[in-house]
Amino acid sequence: MSTMKDIIAIDPELCTGCGRCAEICPVDAISGTLHQPHTIDTDKCVLCGQCVQECSAYDSSLEEYEHSHAERLAMRGMLPSTKEPLFAAHFRSDIKKVMDVLTDPNAYTMVQCAPAIRVALGEEFGLEYGSMCQGKLIAALRELGFDRVYDTNFAADLTIMEEAAELVHRIQNGGTLPMFTSCCPAWVKYLEDQYPELIDHLSSCRSPQQMAGSMFKTYGAKIDKVDPKKIVSVAIMPCTCKKFECERPEMNASGEQDVDVVLTTRELAQLIKHMGIDFLNLANQDVDSPLGCYTGAGNIFGTTGGVMEAALRTAVESISGEKLKKLEFEAVRGLDGVRKASVDINGQTISVCIVAGVEHLPSVMEDIKAGRADFQFMEVMCCPTGCVSGGGQPKVLLPAQREKANQLRRAGLYAIDSTSTSRKSHENPDIQKLYKNFLGEPLGHTSHHLLHIERGEHSHE
């Protein structure tokens, strides 16, 4: 198994020492002298990949280097057909692993796609920022040869079932508050590294990626009558830290490694191009069931405030016993680094906090340590606008264009939500069947084993 140290790296041959990566790093993990190659302190790094998005120093055909372009591709695990520029700050490619399993006759492949992929992948094929391309995405994955094409949004709905139940349980039974969301692995790593004394505040829920992985190799294996040991679980993610998360030793609720390999949005685009698939002319296809059906709530997980809004839709109805008249929680939307809001539920107030970017966390965390927190639930996403701006998303070099891209990607996710037939996680019919036929109930014995984790069981090796 590889280590976290090779997931994000800076190529000293290409780095010009401009310092832009150091400026954008939210945890001050990058340092170096101006005009000299910079380095990453892997003890501080949370693997968010924002340096990868920011870097503009590249392998120029006009320069001579110790390593050739072809050698550099091989060193990074990339395909020789890759046409995009090779930048100094980069992430490890796992494309070849996926190609190997797709040609293995003994492997049964299941793939999941995060919400942010469907509003960004099209950019790699010339579509406008934020273009919705889910149908073509699904078709492309089938063309690549995956046996089952599922959706991380299903697992996002599943996460809400567990997380909302956990929040309500903590509020009603004097549990540790405020409770923190646990979907973002870079945030979880930051918490473990910087504030281990607050780990009990973190939800015990595994992330949607990991919940999906455990469901693939248990419930999915049962439905398809497949030996779980033959299942290879692949995740397509906007996030570079998801590569680290899936390799953590405790991510084996199914008895096997729940997610075997993660590809970023950019890697998937490279693979599609390498295989000669005409993405733009693919006919739209639907995701497989039963682990693909999702609600609008699951879809907005890809933007800052989305996890909070999805959780509130379910938690408020659970506590009040009444249907919400309005599903949009506008107060939790937006882009401010720290946002707070309150929701009244039959005279009971639930106060929440949303943090977009871990660089905004220190003052909030110090308030929590000092007992000054005026909220009960906190969502944290490491990347500035949520997963749509993740380190593995299509690279946009100009800051103004990057801002526009992320704005339109977010708008795309909200548009999907607003037009969805079902917009609350607890109303997902396949989630209801999952609990009835397999899991039992949220926070129950089976759910606890497959969907939750005892915090403290972590390793950064």
Side-chain angles (χ1 to χ4, degrees), residues 7-54:
I7 295 175
I8 302 288
I10 296 176
D11 189 330
E13 285 186 57
L14 303 183
C15 180
T16 61
C18 70
R20 290 172 63 184
C21 57
E23 291 175 4
I24 203 169
C25 180
V27 291
D28 297 323
I30 301 176
S31 61
T33 304
L34 188 64
H35 304 312
Q36 296 296 320
H38 282 36
T39 58
I40 299 174
D41 182 342
T42 55
D43 290 332
K44 288 184 178 180
C45 179
V46 293
L47 304 166
C48 67
Q50 289 305 298
C51 57
V52 176
Q53 289 290 330
E54 184 72 16

Side-chain angles (χ1 to χ4, degrees), residues 112 151-161 206-213 215-216 291-294 298 301 428 431:
Q112 58 171 301
D151 205 310
T152 313
N153 287 356
F154 173 88
D157 281 335
L158 183 58
T159 300
I160 290 302
M161 295 296 292
R206 296 174 186 268
S207 73
Q209 170 182 285
Q210 295 306 131
M211 284 194 184
M215 289 299 94
F216 288 0
L291 300 174
C293 174
Y294 65 89
F301 262 57
N428 182 329
I431 290 288

Side-chain angles (χ1 to χ4, degrees), residues 316-343:
V316 170
E317 290 199 357
S318 174
I319 294 172
S320 69
E322 300 174 0
K323 295 284 187 181
L324 284 165
K325 295 179 180 179
K326 181 174 170 31
L327 295 182
E328 292 80 9
F329 287 83
E330 301 290 350
V332 306
R333 299 186 180 187
L335 292 174
D336 290 342
V338 179
R339 310 188 296 282
K340 293 183 180 180
S342 294
V343 180

Side-chain angles (χ1 to χ4, degrees), residues 10-300:
I10 296 176
D11 189 330
E13 285 186 57
L14 303 183
C15 180
T16 61
C18 70
R20 290 172 63 184
C21 57
E23 291 175 4
I24 203 169
C25 180
V27 291
D28 297 323
I30 301 176
S31 61
T33 304
L34 188 64
H35 304 312
Q36 296 296 320
H38 282 36
T39 58
I40 299 174
D41 182 342
T42 55
D43 290 332
K44 288 184 178 180
C45 179
V46 293
L47 304 166
C48 67
Q50 289 305 298
C51 57
V52 176
Q53 289 290 330
E54 184 72 16
C55 182
S56 61
Y58 65 95
D59 183 345
S60 170
S61 61
L62 302 177
E63 300 286 342
E64 290 188 5
Y65 305 101
E66 179 182 348
H67 294 94
S68 69
H69 186 81
E71 289 172 333
R72 205 177 308 282
L73 284 170
M75 289 162 60
R76 299 182 182 189
M78 300 174 73
L79 298 172
S81 61
T82 303
K83 300 299 183 185
E84 67 175 47
L86 300 182
F87 292 89
H90 61 281
F91 55 79
R92 182 193 75 210
S93 177
D94 293 304
I95 294 179
K96 293 178 181 177
K97 291 182 183 178
V98 174
M99 292 182 69
D100 287 344
V101 299
L102 288 173
T103 55
D104 182 351
N106 296 315
Y108 191 84
T109 53
M110 296 184 178
V111 64
Q112 58 171 301
C113 290
I117 310 298
R118 71 211 65 207
V119 292
L121 180 64
E123 297 165 26
E124 293 280 354
F125 299 91
L127 296 181
E128 294 293 325
Y129 296 135
S131 295
M132 167 62 169
C133 60
Q134 174 169 308
K136 294 184 186 301
L137 164 63
I138 295 166
L141 291 168
R142 290 210 176 96
E143 285 284 320
L144 289 171
F146 285 99
D147 294 301
R148 289 288 179 268
V149 180
Y150 290 133
D151 205 310
T152 313
N153 287 356
F154 173 88
D157 281 335
L158 183 58
T159 300
I160 290 302
M161 295 296 292
E162 296 295 323
E163 193 170 64
E166 182 182 5
L167 175 64
V168 171
H169 184 268
R170 290 195 189 201
I171 290 173
Q172 295 179 343
N173 294 277
T176 302
L177 295 172
M179 188 177 88
F180 304 155
T181 58
S182 55
C183 300
C184 172
W187 145 240
V188 172
K189 185 178 184 302
Y190 173 89
L191 179 65
E192 292 169 338
D193 291 346
Q194 302 296 327
Y195 295 94
E197 68 275 23
L198 297 179
I199 202 73
D200 287 345
H201 289 264
L202 192 63
S203 167
S204 63
C205 289
R206 296 174 186 268
S207 73
Q209 170 182 285
Q210 295 306 131
M211 284 194 184
S214 67
M215 289 299 94
F216 288 0
K217 295 190 177 184
T218 54
Y219 186 59
K222 180 180 179 181
I223 290 172
D224 285 349
K225 299 179 181 178
V226 177
D227 181 352
K229 294 184 182 299
K230 291 186 177 181
I231 293 176
V232 178
S233 170
V234 178
I236 313 298
M237 293 287 142
C239 171
T240 48
C241 194
K242 287 293 181 182
K243 292 175 179 282
F244 165 68
E245 180 184 41
C246 83
E247 294 176 353
R248 292 178 64 137
E250 67 270 27
M251 296 302 174
N252 59 352
S254 64
E256 306 289 334
Q257 183 173 331
D258 296 322
V259 176
D260 295 290
V261 60
V262 169
L263 294 185
T264 64
T265 315
R266 285 169 63 191
E267 287 174 280
L268 177 60
Q270 291 163 14
L271 181 56
I272 291 171
K273 293 172 184 176
H274 178 78
M275 298 304 293
I277 296 171
D278 186 358
F279 183 80
L280 295 179
N281 287 313
L282 289 172
N284 290 338
Q285 294 185 19
D286 292 326
V287 72
D288 289 322
S289 61
L291 300 174
C293 174
Y294 65 89
T295 70
N299 191 73
I300 58 175

